[in-house]
Amino acid sequence: QRIPISDNELIAAKLGEKGIHGMEDLIHEIYTVGPHFKQASNFLWPFKLSAPRGGFKCKRHGYCEMKGGDWGNREEGINELI
């Protein structure tokens, strides 16, 4: 179930025993990959990305191996993907 994070109380209720009491603590834990990173990232699990509309391009990865995926900087296109 997707619930918007509108208050630090929601974070404190789920992750307070891990020492994460608000949005700043949650961001810090994920950014620094702290000791409770797994619990913090699982808390954000309902946030999912969908595949791009045209699919991923097939790229060659040395010795003519075909693997899925697409290379390059996605800085500008991430909002379209979300």
Side-chain angles (χ1 to χ4, degrees):
Q1 179 180 358
R2 293 179 184 215
I3 300 170
I5 301 174
S6 59
D7 192 359
N8 284 340
E9 293 298 322
L10 180 66
I11 298 169
K14 293 280 188 177
L15 300 171
E17 67 273 0
K18 307 285 189 222
I20 302 171
H21 299 286
M23 185 61 72
E24 294 84 12
D25 294 335
L26 181 62
I27 292 169
H28 181 266
E29 190 71 22
I30 291 172
Y31 182 76
T32 60
V33 190
H36 301 293
F37 173 80
K38 183 172 175 124
Q39 291 84 4
S41 65
N42 284 344
F43 175 73
L44 297 174
W45 180 254
F47 177 58
K48 298 176 184 174
L49 293 176
S50 57
R53 286 196 185 105
F56 290 107
K57 296 177 186 172
C58 198
K59 292 283 189 176
R60 294 188 185 271
H61 295 264
Y63 301 113
C64 295
E65 299 176 31
M66 298 297 285
K67 293 184 180 178
D70 202 1
W71 296 354
N73 185 1
R74 300 289 176 260
E75 183 178 353
E76 298 297 323
I78 190 68
N79 289 334
E80 293 176 25
L81 186 62
I82 294 174

